[in-house]
Amino acid sequence: MRLETETPQQHAPRSGLILLQALVLGLFCLFTLRLWYLQVHKGGTFSDMARDNQLRQVLIGSARGRILDRSGTPLAVSEPSFALGLVREDCEDIDGTLTKVSEWTGVDKHVLSETVKRGKKRVKPFEPLILITDLPYEALARIEANAMLYPGLEIVVRQKRYYPTGALMSHVLGYVAEANEDELEKNPQLSLGDSVGKQGLELTHEDELRGSKGRKQVEVDAFGRQHNEFILEPPRAGADLKLSIDIGLQKECSRLLEGQAGALLVMEPDTGKILAMVSQPSFDNNMFVLGVPADKWRELRDNPRHPIQNRVTQGVYPPGSVFKLLMAAAGLSEGFVRPGDVVACPGVYKVGNRDFHDWKKGGHGALDLRGALVHSCDIYFYKLGDRMGIDRLHDYAVASGFGTRTGIDLPHEKAGLIPSKEWKKKRFGAAWSKGETVIASIGQGYVLTSPLQIGRYLSALVNGGRLMKPELVETEAPQVDATLPLKDGDRQVILDAMVATVESGTAKSLLRSDAVMAGKTGTAQVVKLINADIRRKTHEMPYEQRDHAWLASWGRKDGKTYVVVCLVEHGGHGGEVSGPLVRKVYEYLFGPAPGKPPRAAGAAPAAAPGEPAVDPGDVGD
Amino acid sequence: MPFDRRFILSVNWSLVALTAMLFGVGVLNLYSASGFRMGDELSMQPFYNRQLIWGLAGLGCMLAMVVFDYKYLAAIAWPLVISTSVLLVLVLVMGKTVGGAKRWLPIGGFAFQPSEVAKIALLLLAAKILSKRSERLGWLDLAGILAVSLPVALLIIVEPDLGTGLNVLLLVAGLILYRGLTGPVFKTLAIAGPILIPCGWFFLKPYQKGRILTLFDPQRDPLGAGYHIIQSQIAIGSGQMWGKGFLEGTQSQLRYLPEKHTDFAVAVFAEEWGFMGGIALLTLFCLFLLQFYVTAKNAKDRFGSYLAAGVFFYFFWQILINMGMVLGIMPVVGIPLPFISYGGSATIVNFTLVGIVVNVSMRRYLFKKG
């Protein structure tokens, strides 16, 4: 035996051995460099990415604030709503479970299957897919009792806005609904499925009502499942909003306008606070909260009486004779007329070769300013307007708060319109004609005002000339936007004339012995009558051609003063239609009038004793 | 054959120790990769303990590989290749389909993977054939070795198991390079290779092309093949210098990391042990590979040297491809990392191959009879 002497290297090819060494060295260098690059050079970046992978900030919802009336009656509340969700991953027998759910809730099983089919793409298998939103209580109880037997079913509690007063407050409150793409984009505080204010105070006071969401940090795995969490910032509940609205008064006003299309506004002249704001017809804002069905929405949108529009702030109408209050103020203040100046009213006024008639055939004879207001003489104001010119009139009206928004915190307020030469040029490319000034002088033609503007102007007349910002929120401090360009003495003349209008003029239906009552009626033409002589009785005219009936009033009793403005669309005569209605409003505010009411209910106001015989077919008041 | 005490002294104990260390690191890492967090709870999947059992079985195979003289392996090379080829055909005909691939033959209660045995068989055969050549290889030699190994590799690739098939082909290619080619052959291949390899592109399946394209631009398919690459790089990179600590890897514990106990196991390791740990593991692997080099260099005969070199290439390619894939410099191909990735048959094969090399190392001073 001999030890093998052959050197082992002879068996291993030299080049092969070098190759092996080179490969090991190469392997080591390659991966060392790569590890260095990933872990040291780029380590910070990847570290951030890993953290982003697993830690997510999740928003915690906050309870939306309530909206209350002035006495604390809830007008908008958030209450829990129960939805039925299905966690597919936990559900062994989806088909069988759906059959049961259908049995418990009466929802067609086919509909449930469709919901699951549609939701599959958007909802992760371990997240609840909502089968039924807003479960009725009986169904909830039935499901709660049986859910143990059907794993995967989950009751999902959500907050739902509820408006206990429904249609009564819809125009003021607006409503909330699910935030759309745009709103989500704009507000990082919102997450998918959140409700936001879409209209009314819910929209304008969105930020206070919503409060602020809290934030929590959640550890999430690759499947999106949440593991640990801790609160970074607790949520802050939304603040309650206390309104100046008196829900009792609101209800009464709403009842009075029922069946009509119109607006009713009650204000405190000293503060600008609004006690009632009614627009009829109305709609139930609750139906928007969980998504309004397409057919219901179409029905609302296409309704010729526009139930969605808030007529107090968004309805702009020719003010008719109510505008004479402003004309009187302008005349006095700009020095075109003095209270005692007597103007003759022959029943017709000529501008160029055109005749402008008074509503009273044959005219009123000689009238001073007070008489012109009490009897609502058209000729007096034709003449006044003609002397003043449209631009002077425009400037004065704008300074008194017309043709501009009042700034009330409701969305989509309309500014109305006070025409001027410049405006007409721009709008129609045509020159202003003198006849148009004459028509504008009695609140017709191009002049458009909202009931809210009338209410604000009247408040200013009553409160000493302060043009207040109309305010729906009780806690908001009164805000003076401007002062009327009107001397106190002149203001008093107009206020006295309004009182006289109730005592002996067109607003007689407001009269009561225990309070100072004042008013001005207006009957605004809707259709330009081709010939002023062609006059028909209101009830003979088609609805949409009938005049708008205005009544702007104020009343004072026991040191409390209120302004009430009423407009009934196509109602006919202001005094006739709006008068008795506004009287009822004051009865709510001041208590029943002592003694016998001036007339029996249902009787025509024109037939009231002592009132000048007015042809109800006439346009003027 | 009487047992010689000098066998024990000649055993490459470094190789045994390194193998044990790698396997130990692998099991520890699998322990971490088995866990996933649900809230505060750390749940365990039974990967690491099953791996331990596989390791014990592997140890048995390793011991079995040292009791006989490795020259008998040359004798059984041909029968082994032929019989495993038959089994590979059987797999394609009646194999168990798991995840769209037919790789398993059901035997009793077990699923047997013939491709694993085929790797060993082909390794033995290639070592045997090449060790008979004392000169560098010419065209004929090349044709001969490819005629044997290509069909076997193709049978594996069509299963489809591109990773293993590729591993086998590369192993044979490695051995060919180890032996060395004659000048003209080497020059021709050196020129033709870069031209022919791009042609291979047209034989790839669309998803395989996708994986290669994704390598260059992971954002191309961020939820598919790119997801693996991105998440794996986030895991490794976020480990930074010192790592997040054992069982603290958020990428893996929160299951962002796909296949974290198999192909991407090393990413778990790099996340938890950082750059320092990664270098340590890499060093272990390099030292491990060097043991095959030492054994190949000192083997008493050519067959032994080629066996050790073959095992070198077997492990080398796996380490290169797996780590390259996990580190985002190679396409995603399902090749496990030896001793670190979970896998029963792979573990047993790994131990068996180490056993064969230990066998070669312990018999390097064996007396020749007569």
Side-chain angles (χ1 to χ4, degrees), chain A residues 152-205:
Chain A
L153 285 182
E154 203 175 296
I155 304 288
V156 182
V157 185
R158 307 197 287 190
Q159 292 280 311
K160 189 188 85 174
R161 201 63 159 166
Y162 174 63
Y163 304 102
T165 49
L168 198 51
M169 288 296 295
S170 293
H171 293 109
V172 175
L173 299 178
Y175 48 85
V176 297
E178 202 169 300
N180 59 32
E181 290 293 328
D182 219 36
E183 288 155 337
L184 290 172
E185 182 87 12
K186 272 186 206 142
N187 191 340
Q189 272 259 319
L190 291 177
S191 29
L192 198 70
D194 279 357
S195 286
V196 290
K198 296 277 187 179
Q199 280 294 341
L201 291 171
E202 292 274 30
L203 172 61
T204 52
H205 290 259

Side-chain angles (χ1 to χ4, degrees), chain A residues 178-236:
Chain A
E178 202 169 300
N180 59 32
E181 290 293 328
D182 219 36
E183 288 155 337
L184 290 172
E185 182 87 12
K186 272 186 206 142
N187 191 340
Q189 272 259 319
L190 291 177
S191 29
L192 198 70
D194 279 357
S195 286
V196 290
K198 296 277 187 179
Q199 280 294 341
L201 291 171
E202 292 274 30
L203 172 61
T204 52
H205 290 259
E206 169 70 15
D207 291 344
E208 303 151 63
L209 287 168
R210 194 180 55 228
S212 65
K213 285 192 173 180
R215 287 182 303 131
K216 62 182 174 184
Q217 187 154 288
V218 181
E219 197 181 65
V220 183
D221 68 18
F223 304 114
R225 273 182 247 237
Q226 304 186 348
H227 297 286
N228 296 321
E229 62 173 55
F230 66 94
I231 308 278
L232 294 172
E233 195 186 308
R236 189 171 51 76

